[in-house]
Amino acid sequence: MLKILHLSDIHMGSGFSHGRINPITGLNTRLEDFVDTLSVCIDRALADPVDLVIFGGDAFPDATPPPYVQEAFAGQFRRLVDAEIPTVLLVGNHDQHSQGQGGASLNIYRTLGVPGFVVGDRLMTHHIQTRNGKVQVITLPWLTRSTLMTRQETEGLALAEVNQLLTERLQVVIEGEIRRLDPNVPTVLLAHLMADNATLGAERYLAVGKGFTLPLSLLTRPCFDYVALGHVHRHQNLNKSNDPPVIYPGSIERVDFSEEKEDKGYVMIELEKGNVHWEFCPLPVRTFCTIEVDVSKADDPQAAILKAIAKHDIQDAVVRLIYKLRSEQMDVIDSASLHTALSPAHTYTIQAELVSQLARPRIPELNASSSIDPMEALKTYLQNREDLKDISASMLEAAQQLLAVDS
Ligand SMILES: [Mn+2]
């Protein structure tokens, strides 16, 4: 049995706006948080000890982190070198430099010849000898349209078509790697990408936003014992059948408020050929807390805000207070006492939003939860707008034409 620790999306050096300067160290407290959390992962790798550590990409917010951030990262991974634990560092989109190839911030480990360290900045298979046997790790770094295609090939193509072309190319290249695998050695695919659950089909490409989305079927190959992903910050297993597991461990720390409700952690894997067991291990990370309160109808808005704050445990948390009020209520807000109430937080922001008295109440028939035909919606809307009476007929006609073109 091989023991592997899989972590991803460290993003060390990001989220400084949620921290403050530690007067003792002179460092941003969020950098210290990220280093502490990473050190918990490395502690676990050393304590078990694991046979291999795989990192799914996005080490820093960009490819050129300041030296003290780079050093904080290296200081933790260095402990794996000392313990002679082989480590694979995959290049994510944030690690790629706009100039030149590959991951500038991670390539230094290869350039220095750090013992046992492998940098995955291209699609290839690494044959790694661990204390408990061999393992094959296929690295698939973040792909851009220039990775597998020339500019001439993609010129004039819609993004969906580029995505399809890239998927087809990638399939061929992965096939080539698969054919050269030793079928008796446990195999891990380590990839930084956006995967989806849909089967291969053109409709899928319409949902593509920025960057590429790759079909899950590309990853769920029986020759892979475990598919280790990076990129998505929320932990999840994409493959319901778990054969093989297709795992995003998620980020190790909350990068911003969008991750407020997510558990953060890493994944421990026990692996032998044809048999895998994995477990998500939560990390003790700093709490983020949004306090949102509408006091526009409150008789005592100040008391209502303080009451909302008191409902939350904000000790040492990163807090944002958002309160909505009417403009004439502004004078009765005592901001000094709000600051006092929020002072147990690690850091906090206060955002006041004015509720406009002029805003038209929504048309009740058109609430977001009811699914309604676009033409019906427009008709309902026009029936509620006396001022548009004269042009409502031509608006409906125009809408009809637009919908006909669309379908
Ligand atoms: Mn990423």
Side-chain angles (χ1 to χ4, degrees):
M1 272 286 185
L2 284 173
K3 269 193 182 175
I4 302 175
L5 189 150
H6 172 205
L7 78 165
S8 191
D9 296 85
I10 295 172
H11 289 270
M12 187 175 280
S14 62
F16 278 11
S17 63
H18 301 126
R20 48 181 159 82
I21 298 297
N22 179 343
I24 297 158
T25 60
L27 296 172
N28 187 289
T29 51
R30 284 304 281 159
L31 177 65
E32 295 181 325
D33 284 354
F34 280 58
V35 173
D36 287 348
T37 301
L38 177 57
S39 79
V40 174
C41 300
I42 306 292
D43 287 348
R44 176 69 192 271
L46 302 184
D48 261 57
V50 298
D51 301 300
L52 175 71
V53 170
I54 50 179
F55 167 60
D58 286 354
F60 309 103
D62 57 53
T64 53
Y68 73 101
V69 174
Q70 175 82 257
E71 200 178 334
F73 181 92
Q76 289 304 320
F77 278 90
R78 156 80 200 255
R79 299 167 61 203
L80 299 173
V81 184
D82 293 341
E84 294 177 20
I85 296 173
T87 300
V88 184
L89 300 175
L90 186 71
V91 169
N93 51 316
H94 288 269
D95 306 316
Q96 283 177 342
H97 202 266
S98 53
Q99 268 131 40
Q101 292 283 308
S105 59
L106 295 176
N107 283 349
I108 188 74
Y109 294 89
R110 180 167 55 216
T111 308
L112 291 172
V114 177
F117 270 51
V118 166
V119 177
D121 67 340
R122 67 200 75 180
L123 180 68
M124 67 174 283
T125 305
H126 306 270
H127 304 273
I128 298 170
Q129 181 68 51
T130 77
R131 272 185 287 243
N132 279 307
K134 286 183 195 164
V135 60
Q136 302 172 111
V137 179
I138 301 179
T139 51
L140 173 57
W142 179 256
L143 296 174
T144 60
R145 65 170 69 197
S146 64
T147 317
L148 294 167
M149 294 170 289
T150 63
R151 190 181 289 267
Q152 286 89 337
E153 284 173 314
T154 59
E155 213 158 55
L157 293 183
L159 190 58
E161 296 168 309
V162 174
N163 200 135
Q164 177 130 32
L165 192 60
L166 182 101
T167 304
E168 284 161 9
R169 294 276 165 94
L170 186 59
Q171 195 137 27
V172 173
V173 188
I174 289 180
E175 218 52 60
E177 291 300 318
I178 287 173
R179 227 166 286 158
R180 288 196 293 272
L181 289 173
D182 182 339
N184 302 312
V185 174
T187 302
V188 172
L189 172 66
L190 175 62
H192 194 93
L193 50 77
M194 181 67 92
D196 70 25
N197 273 297
T199 44
L200 202 54
E203 77 286 344
R204 214 174 48 72
Y205 300 110
L206 299 173
V208 170
K210 224 176 168 190
F212 299 105
T213 307
L214 293 164
L216 189 60
S217 58
L218 201 72
L219 312 173
T220 52
R221 305 288 301 259
C223 53
F224 301 143
D225 296 292
Y226 180 87
V227 179
L229 298 182
H231 189 52
V232 174
H233 287 195
R234 181 195 284 267
H235 162 62
Q236 56 200 289
N237 177 12
L238 291 182
N239 193 5
K240 294 287 164 281
S241 77
N242 203 44
D243 183 24
V246 179
I247 310 289
Y248 285 112
S251 49
I252 62 164
E253 263 282 345
R254 296 194 171 96
V255 172
D256 59 34
F257 271 97
S258 71
E259 299 174 33
E260 177 174 347
K261 301 229 155 46
E262 297 173 3
D263 284 333
K264 298 290 135 191
Y266 59 91
V267 172
M268 288 292 288
I269 306 151
E270 288 182 332
L271 179 69
E272 60 188 357
K273 193 66 209 170
N275 184 18
V276 62
H277 174 79
W278 66 274
E279 184 193 1
F280 177 72
C281 305
L283 286 160
V285 297
R286 194 177 293 283
T287 306
F288 275 46
C289 176
T290 300
I291 305 171
E292 208 165 0
V293 58
D294 183 347
V295 298
S296 62
K297 293 185 185 73
D299 298 329
D300 185 346
Q302 177 76 15
I305 298 170
L306 290 173
K307 195 175 157 200
I309 296 171
K311 266 192 219 155
H312 294 82
D313 179 13
I314 60 167
Q315 187 69 42
D316 296 325
V318 176
V319 176
R320 61 174 177 183
L321 168 67
I322 304 166
Y323 63 91
K324 294 187 172 67
L325 78 172
R326 287 177 282 122
S327 52
E328 63 269 29
Q329 292 175 307
M330 281 168 73
D331 291 342
V332 301
I333 300 295
D334 169 21
S335 81
S337 83
L338 295 187
H339 284 281
T340 307
L342 291 170
S343 62
H346 179 68
T347 58
Y348 62 85
T349 55
I350 301 174
Q351 191 184 331
E353 290 175 2
L354 290 181
V355 176
S356 171
Q357 305 300 123
L358 300 170
R360 203 173 277 274
R362 289 182 65 92
I363 299 164
E365 301 96 295
L366 292 182
N367 69 58
S369 60
S370 66
S371 62
I372 185 164
D373 172 74
M375 283 308 292
E376 285 304 313
L378 182 59
K379 269 181 213 162
T380 312
Y381 175 74
L382 290 171
Q383 278 159 13
N384 282 276
R385 289 288 300 266
E386 278 297 308
D387 52 326
L388 298 177
K389 215 172 177 179
D390 295 344
I391 58 164
S392 66
S394 44
M395 277 182 81
L396 284 167
E397 198 188 318
Q400 210 110 47
Q401 279 170 11
L402 279 171
L403 286 169
V405 170
D406 193 41
S407 57

